[in-house]
Amino acid sequence: MTPHEPDARPLLLGGPALGLRLIVLAILSLGLMVADHRQHRLAVIRDWLSAVVYPVQWVVQAPLGVWDSARDSLASRARIEADNVRLKADNFVLRLKQMRYETLEQENQRLRAARASTSRVVQRTLVAEIVRVDLDPFRQRVLVNKGSLAGVFRGQAALDANGIFGQVTRVGPLSAEVILISDPEHAIPVQVNRTGARTIALGTGRSGQLSLPYLPQNSDVVAGDLLVSSGLGGVYPPGYPVGKITSVGRDPSQPLLSVAAEPLAALDRDPEILLVWFDNTVVEPVPAAPPPADAPPAAAAGGD
Amino acid sequence: MARGTGLGWPRIIAMTVVALAATVLPLPEWLEILRPDFVALTVLWFCLLSPRMTGLFHAWGAGLALDAFRGVLLGQHAMALIVITYVATKLRLQIRAFPPLQQTAVILALLWLNEFLLFWIDGVSGHPITDWRRWLAVPAGAACWPLISSLYARFAARR
């Protein structure tokens, strides 16, 4: 580059060409947005775009991953020994539970067979690592390192060791985006474990809080109640822990309670999550031929 | 358009990719809210101060890449960026002559326009974020402008 080369740059920019380009590009952007939002025509393009950007996203978090693994390998012997003791104790407890679980599962299957309904338990799981990139500070979404090549699909439920984590909203070949149960646009059908009351838990945008705005004043909930997934809607397997109620606000002038809950899954600290497959075909129990007039059949309880 | 001048496309693309990476780099939560829109700042620098002008197409491409990166509505950042690039290109010769403080004020206004368009599109598409803290990134970005522009100028001057 010689400094005396004639400069071909125009001194004044603008004029009709610039305005025309703005209009053309604006129309293109609008078209893209409409196609993406209204018609979901761009799903395939989006999937491949995510495959293109994934390497860069991976590189961004790679130094942190290296740092973490270096720290792990240099961890003190005392800490590893303490971990080991704790894990052994955990393992012992879990094995005891497992023994009981197997007999219970068999019994459950027999009972379900008698009622001609399928047992919707998790059949297959896949561990996915969370890619440590910040997608948006105001939305609770994470990127994981498994995509459609590993069989991940849209709407798949994600769990961690303590409870329900979220569901897959977008799948690329190598990566997938998971919306957390605490995202303000997320709602999960839940059941209060103690009473069986069904309601919906909404995300609040903060990772440590869910809200349950649809419980009437007279409903029986107290702080400390466990919320489990009810399995309505078919996205989440039923009976898995979602959260614990932290506060119940009773204001007599309001028709509904303001109930806050805390998710049990470690939404902001998990290094990896479990993507699960379960049989979510809901087989409605065949109603008895003469429906009893006084007692509502058991199947009607699922209708609220 | 500007063959033979300072910056080649490889360097422009590299700087844009670095800006994109900076937008998703994991940060602690309190800092994350203050994270400036690095892509908007980079696009503005290229159209205001760079020895080689890039035009609306660069802004549009960078915006689309940002949409793909953050997994939001495709075309959202692209739309906002071409509008602020258009305004900045129209006012380019004036802004270049401004003293640094005044320049920063113009950048503040442009970044605010960018964020407002994003806010608007968010609302229209049915995913509104009404948290007031989303606007904190605008002054943070403007505060970063003197630093970023001098950093970029140094990088662009290197052969």
Side-chain angles (χ1 to χ4, degrees), chain A residues 282-298:
Chain A
V282 183
V283 180
E284 291 294 330
V286 186
D294 49 349

Side-chain angles (χ1 to χ4, degrees), chain A residues 127-196:
Chain A
V127 176
E129 224 171 279
I130 291 177
V131 182
R132 286 172 53 183
V133 292
D134 290 336
L135 294 180
D136 194 324
F138 301 106
R139 297 188 200 281
Q140 303 269 320
R141 279 161 209 218
V142 294
L143 196 72
V144 296
N145 70 346
K146 292 280 178 346
S148 55
L149 291 179
V152 177
F153 59 92
R154 197 159 176 270
Q156 187 169 22
L159 274 68
D160 81 348
N162 301 313
I164 288 189
F165 188 85
Q167 62 173 294
V168 175
T169 49
R170 186 171 297 137
V171 191
L174 299 170
S175 61
E177 196 185 284
V178 176
I179 179 169
L180 272 57
I181 54 171
S182 58
D183 187 282
E185 286 179 38
H186 191 271
I188 174 172
V190 294
Q191 202 166 9
V192 179
N193 200 33
R194 184 169 57 83
T195 60

Side-chain angles (χ1 to χ4, degrees), chain A residues 1 5 7-9 11-15 18-19 21-22 25-26 28-30 32-33 36-37 42 46 49 53 56-57 60 64 132-139 170 177 185, chain B residues 2 4-5 21 23-27 32 35 51 53 56-57 60 64 67 69-76 79 82 86 89-90 92-93 121-122 125 127 129 131 133-134 159:
Chain A
M1 309 291 162
E5 208 169 275
D7 195 345
R9 284 178 291 158
L11 185 60
L12 287 165
L13 288 136
L18 189 69
R21 263 182 281 169
L22 175 75
L25 288 178
L28 266 176
S29 315
L30 273 177
L32 273 176
M33 283 191 272
D36 192 14
H37 180 60
L42 300 180
R46 294 211 71 130
L49 267 180
V53 299
V56 184
Q57 289 169 328
V60 166
L64 282 161
R132 286 172 53 183
V133 292
D134 290 336
L135 294 180
D136 194 324
F138 301 106
R139 297 188 200 281
R170 186 171 297 137
E177 196 185 284
E185 286 179 38
Chain B
T5 50
T23 354
V24 293
L25 190 73
L27 289 177
E32 201 185 328
R35 184 204 309 263
M53 281 250 341
L56 288 176
F57 288 106
W60 196 66
L64 278 188
D67 291 326
F69 244 70
R70 297 180 62 176
V72 293
L73 191 65
L74 206 61
Q76 178 176 7
M79 184 78 183
I82 57 171
Y86 177 78
T89 311
K90 279 281 183 198
R92 175 168 190 254
L93 293 178
I121 297 170
D122 270 348
S125 65
H127 311 277
I129 298 176
D131 194 330
R133 292 175 305 169
R134 75 173 286 159
R159 293 273 152 136

Side-chain angles (χ1 to χ4, degrees), chain A residues 172-248:
Chain A
L174 299 170
S175 61
E177 196 185 284
V178 176
I179 179 169
L180 272 57
I181 54 171
S182 58
D183 187 282
E185 286 179 38
H186 191 271
I188 174 172
V190 294
Q191 202 166 9
V192 179
N193 200 33
R194 184 169 57 83
T195 60
R198 267 180 279 264
T199 183
I200 291 174
L202 306 181
T204 58
R206 271 159 295 178
S207 57
Q209 208 180 340
L210 301 173
S211 82
L212 289 84
Y214 308 122
L215 282 168
Q217 280 285 351
N218 60 356
S219 46
D220 175 21
V221 281
V222 288
D225 273 355
L226 178 71
L227 296 170
V228 297
S229 55
S230 69
L232 295 177
V235 170
Y236 294 105
Y240 284 80
V242 174
K244 196 157 257 183
I245 289 179
T246 49
S247 72
V248 179

Side-chain angles (χ1 to χ4, degrees), chain A residues 97-114:
Chain A
K97 277 191 181 162
Q98 173 82 16
M99 279 189 254
R100 208 174 45 185
Y101 171 79
E102 269 162 15
T103 54
L104 281 175
E105 195 190 9
Q106 277 189 359
E107 188 184 331
N108 190 19
Q109 268 174 3
R110 273 202 311 276
L111 288 170
R112 292 229 177 228

